[in-house]
Amino acid sequence: MSKIACLMILLSFGFASNSSAQTKNANLAVFPRGMQNAPPITLGELIYQSIPSDGRIDWDALQIPSVRWLTIGVGTTRWGDSFRYGLVRVRVGGRVTKVLRQRWEELSWSVTLDKGNEAARAEGVTSITIRPGLTPPGDGPELREMCFGQRFEGCDFPSSALRGPKHKLTLACSVGEESNGEDVFHATTADGRVGTVVWTKSTGSGGTSNDVRVLSDPATTYCRAAQSQW
């Protein structure tokens, strides 16, 4: 068999496997059910959409079809922290995050706009946090499904998943340990937006999980503070 024929077989097998996986994922119920018709988005595209404009993140950030905001206006925790909370269906290399309920279901991700000082609400948002699972801020009765442990799949993802064709990430520093630490990136877009993207890795006895934060502060500023803490 020629090399070209072998290559065509391998490509066909890869396409068939990917198509099969996509079909299988398409048949999954989505949790919560209200997210069933929300259009999925790649993690790289979500990062691109999150990078701040004019050096700030506003409370009306991420007004895109993929993000379903659950907070009416701006919420406040009992500690006085201001936030907005929403859900999104994220794809990482075509892979979906799953939760085992009566059967395996696609698990939505959380998007949180956060501002620590409630009195400074008008000054904008401190950070955008993106993580697998349902993790609403505060201690209210909201539905929670923290993506960690044997009931879940797809809670972890490499820092390379943050990249995309519309933005550039340059590593500014790495802090912490291999099992628990952060990679901090300086982010730029072709349309002139600039920000900081922080990829966090957390490992415990039940497995590994990751999350992402997008900040308006410079990466060098964040690195100096993080290196003094670790």
Side-chain angles (χ1 to χ4, degrees):
M1 185 180 294
S2 69
K3 292 182 178 180
I4 294 178
C6 289
L7 179 59
M8 292 299 294
I9 291 174
L10 289 172
L11 289 174
S12 299
F13 178 78
F15 177 78
S17 299
N18 188 51
S19 299
S20 176
Q22 291 179 354
T23 301
K24 184 177 180 180
N25 290 335
N27 293 330
L28 288 176
V30 179
F31 184 77
R33 293 293 181 266
M35 294 297 293
Q36 190 78 45
N37 295 322
I41 188 172
T42 65
L43 181 56
E45 176 66 18
L46 186 57
I47 296 298
Y48 167 77
Q49 296 286 349
S50 301
I51 296 172
S53 179
D54 299 324
R56 60 177 288 133
I57 304 171
D58 293 319
W59 285 112
D60 62 351
L62 287 178
Q63 296 297 311
I64 58 177
S66 294
V67 178
R68 301 289 173 85
W69 292 105
L70 304 183
T71 307
I72 299 176
V74 178
T76 306
T77 70
R78 66 188 179 109
W79 302 284
D81 296 335
S82 299
F83 70 91
R84 292 199 77 202
Y85 176 70
L87 298 177
V88 61
R89 296 173 61 190
V90 174
R91 299 290 184 266
V92 178
R95 183 185 66 170
V96 303
T97 302
K98 300 178 185 178
V99 57
L100 181 61
R101 292 170 58 77
Q102 281 73 29
R103 57 183 60 83
W104 286 105
E105 299 180 3
E106 178 184 337
L107 179 64
S108 300
W109 289 37
S110 294
V111 179
T112 306
L113 308 184
D114 178 75
K115 176 67 177 178
N117 184 356
E118 201 275 338
R121 179 179 300 181
E123 296 179 5
V125 178
T126 305
S127 65
I128 301 175
T129 301
I130 302 165
R131 61 165 55 99
L134 313 182
T135 56
D139 58 349
E142 298 95 345
L143 185 65
R144 292 180 181 272
E145 284 287 5
M146 183 174 292
C147 193
F148 187 81
Q150 61 185 3
R151 288 184 57 236
F152 302 91
E153 291 183 359
C155 301
D156 60 318
F157 51 89
S159 60
S160 59
L162 312 181
R163 301 184 181 277
K166 301 179 183 179
H167 62 284
K168 179 181 179 181
L169 297 179
T170 303
L171 183 65
C173 68
S174 295
V175 295
E177 303 173 352
E178 183 177 351
S179 58
N180 292 278
E182 296 177 334
D183 286 349
V184 183
F185 298 90
H186 173 67
T188 57
T189 67
D191 57 5
R193 290 179 290 130
V194 176
T196 297
V197 177
V198 181
W199 173 83
T200 302
K201 181 178 183 179
S202 301
T203 302
S205 58
T208 299
S209 63
N210 299 101
D211 63 44
V212 186
R213 281 177 295 154
V214 180
L215 317 171
S216 56
D217 290 340
T220 51
T221 301
Y222 185 91
C223 284
R224 283 196 298 268
Q227 287 165 347
S228 66
Q229 293 175 0
W230 284 90

